[in-house]
Amino acid sequence: MKRAGRRGTTAGDPGWSNCVFCGTAVGKSARSREHIIPMWLLRATGDPHRKIKIESDPITGDDVVRPASTFHFPACEPCNQKYGKTIEKHAKKAIESLFIGKSLAVSQCYWFLDWLDKVRVGLWLGYNMLHKEEFAPKFRIDQRIGIKDRIAIISVDPNDRTKGFGFGGLDNQIFRTSQAGMFFKINNIRILSLSFDGLISRFAGMPFPEELLALSNDPDRHIAMMGRTDYRLKQDWKEFQMPGATVIAQTSFWLANCTDNKSFALWINKNTIPRFKKFPKLRKAADLNQFVQTKLVSNANGEFRYHQNGRQRIRFGRADDNSDLAFIIVLYLLFLQYVLPLNPQEQIEKDGTRHSTILLAMLWIEKSVQLALRFRQIGIWDETSFGPVVEELQKVYRAWDELRANALGEWAQDASANQVENTLSD
């Protein structure tokens, strides 16, 4: 939390003058340093100045290595102080308890999920700064904490005496476009942290999106096609469970989505109200512009349930397969099964008409191919399991060919539809 000096350079100095937390422009003399991987965590895992692999270069594939303590970015002093006294303070206490195998109170788990949001989004912003990508982020850390469904799969091995930290799952377009998930190892703790619109709602017995569509007049905004729910908390979370590990999760929704009686009744009724962590007071129209979170869900006692009392204790187990590879495999499987399908493939007009676009098709292809290649790299490629991925890619290629033919006034070659299958089978 030291104030940045005038000499030397930081990871975020070149062309960067906005607070990583709130986005406010900050002059050099007023900047402070925000370590996305906090200094207290660097000290707890070894020499804070040791060189670490930050990531793989997205173009060359080479390891990006630098002293851990230099991985910091500009922040305004008020934000840095606020986060240091709240989220960082609570996260440090929680992680120190986990190091020695202690349980956490439910109230601590909320802070821990907030901290994982902060680290995940902070890494995303940081990588974009390092890559000097020419884009203006539409949000900062402040605007992405606790607003989407989120889940953490946590394994603690009290007999592991090794020190160090590492993270993975960040070198793909799923993360680089949506900050959807990461693997994080901290000494004897392994964590999968995932967050995405409607990611776990169906399992938590809440209204859930079966599909997201991009708005034609604003592709960055999405509309959800809702699935049917019986409001029952499911017990079959097998895709999100690693035997022996503990799951903590929380869903949320934007109150302004309740635009009519039907949607209001879908989200707010006798089944959902008892699950809300806190129901906001509605006194003016502006009050609708906020997110409502449910209470914590966990499987700490052998079955999934909502925790009504913030003082209840959650004990964290050790995954049967506690290897880094096992966590990375589960992360990519979750990307494939639950994150990728919620990436919009079509746009919707005001009259309800749906249509494909070259941009959405190309984004979907890029993410799908990257995931498929990751599976091959980690040795779990299976033609039977991934056949549907290839088929879906072929459909997207055909749609792309049709769009291109209409735009250019000529028909594309039939070979494009087979291109991805040939690529993946080489």
Side-chain angles (χ1 to χ4, degrees), residues 32-101:
S32 63
R33 295 172 178 172
E34 163 54 24
H35 289 82
I36 300 301
I37 308 301
M39 287 299 293
W40 61 261
L41 184 58
L42 295 177
R43 295 187 184 99
T45 56
D47 178 1
H49 305 295
R50 66 194 182 276
K51 290 186 177 181
I52 62 169
K53 175 185 174 181
I54 298 295
E55 62 160 344
S56 297
D57 187 282
I59 298 176
T60 66
D62 296 335
D63 290 348
V64 178
V65 178
R66 65 187 308 142
S69 59
T70 67
F71 192 52
H72 52 74
F73 303 94
C76 67
E77 192 68 31
C79 280
N80 217 343
Q81 291 293 328
K82 181 185 75 172
Y83 275 82
K85 292 178 180 178
T86 55
I87 290 180
E88 292 293 348
K89 174 184 175 181
H90 289 281
K92 182 174 184 288
K93 184 176 180 180
I95 289 175
E96 288 174 345
S97 294
L98 292 177
F99 281 158
I100 57 177

Side-chain angles (χ1 to χ4, degrees), residues 159-306:
N159 297 318
D160 184 353
R161 296 291 182 264
T162 60
K163 280 196 170 187
F165 82 89
F167 34 80
L170 313 182
D171 54 346
N172 63 86
Q173 284 301 96
I174 292 284
F175 177 80
R176 285 175 176 158
T177 58
S178 60
Q179 323 90 47
M182 68 176 184
F183 165 64
F184 202 6
K185 183 179 185 299
I186 313 169
N187 289 353
N188 61 336
I189 307 168
R190 288 179 172 85
I191 305 168
L192 287 187
S193 168
L194 293 102
S195 180
F196 203 75
D197 294 300
L199 178 66
I200 56 158
S201 297
R202 70 180 68 208
F203 301 98
M206 293 294 288
F208 65 91
E210 287 189 325
E211 181 183 19
L212 292 180
L213 302 172
L215 298 181
S216 60
N217 60 344
D218 186 357
D220 290 331
R221 293 182 61 197
H222 303 153
I223 185 172
M225 307 303 292
M226 302 302 295
R228 297 185 61 183
T229 180
D230 56 10
Y231 296 102
R232 294 179 182 176
L233 176 62
K234 307 297 187 292
Q235 292 303 319
D236 186 10
W237 294 49
K238 62 182 179 181
E239 292 87 352
F240 292 93
Q241 290 192 83
M242 300 185 68
T246 301
V247 172
I248 57 175
Q250 190 179 29
T251 70
S252 78
F253 67 92
W254 190 34
L255 201 57
N257 279 336
C258 303
T259 56
D260 53 39
N261 290 338
K262 183 177 180 180
S263 59
F264 188 89
L266 179 69
W267 294 99
I268 302 172
N269 54 58
K270 65 179 182 180
N271 296 297
T272 61
I273 290 176
R275 297 172 175 174
F276 295 157
K277 181 184 175 187
K278 179 181 179 182
F279 193 82
K281 294 180 180 179
L282 302 176
R283 295 175 178 172
K284 54 185 182 295
D287 291 339
L288 292 173
N289 192 30
Q290 55 187 302
F291 289 82
V292 178
Q293 298 176 320
T294 62
K295 295 173 181 175
L296 192 77
V297 177
S298 89
N299 65 341
N301 296 319
E303 65 176 11
F304 284 91
R305 67 185 182 95
Y306 282 93

Side-chain angles (χ1 to χ4, degrees), residues 328-401:
I328 289 292
I329 288 174
V330 170
L331 177 64
Y332 278 110
L333 284 172
L334 291 172
F335 279 169
L336 178 69
Q337 292 174 309
Y338 292 107
V339 178
L340 183 60
L342 286 175
N343 280 257
Q345 296 186 54
E346 293 184 319
Q347 287 186 330
I348 186 169
E349 303 288 346
K350 290 183 178 180
D351 62 4
T353 304
R354 297 165 57 154
H355 59 87
S356 300
T357 69
I358 291 178
L359 176 60
L360 290 177
M362 290 304 298
L363 288 173
W364 202 91
I365 289 171
E366 185 178 22
K367 294 173 184 177
S368 301
V369 171
Q370 279 198 354
L371 287 180
L373 293 175
R374 289 289 183 273
F375 280 115
R376 291 185 65 173
Q377 289 171 357
I378 58 182
I380 61 169
W381 177 262
D382 179 275
E383 296 295 339
T384 302
S385 301
F386 292 93
V389 176
V390 176
E391 292 175 6
E392 194 65 32
L393 285 171
Q394 289 176 322
K395 292 179 184 177
V396 175
Y397 266 102
R398 284 193 289 269
W400 178 31
D401 283 345

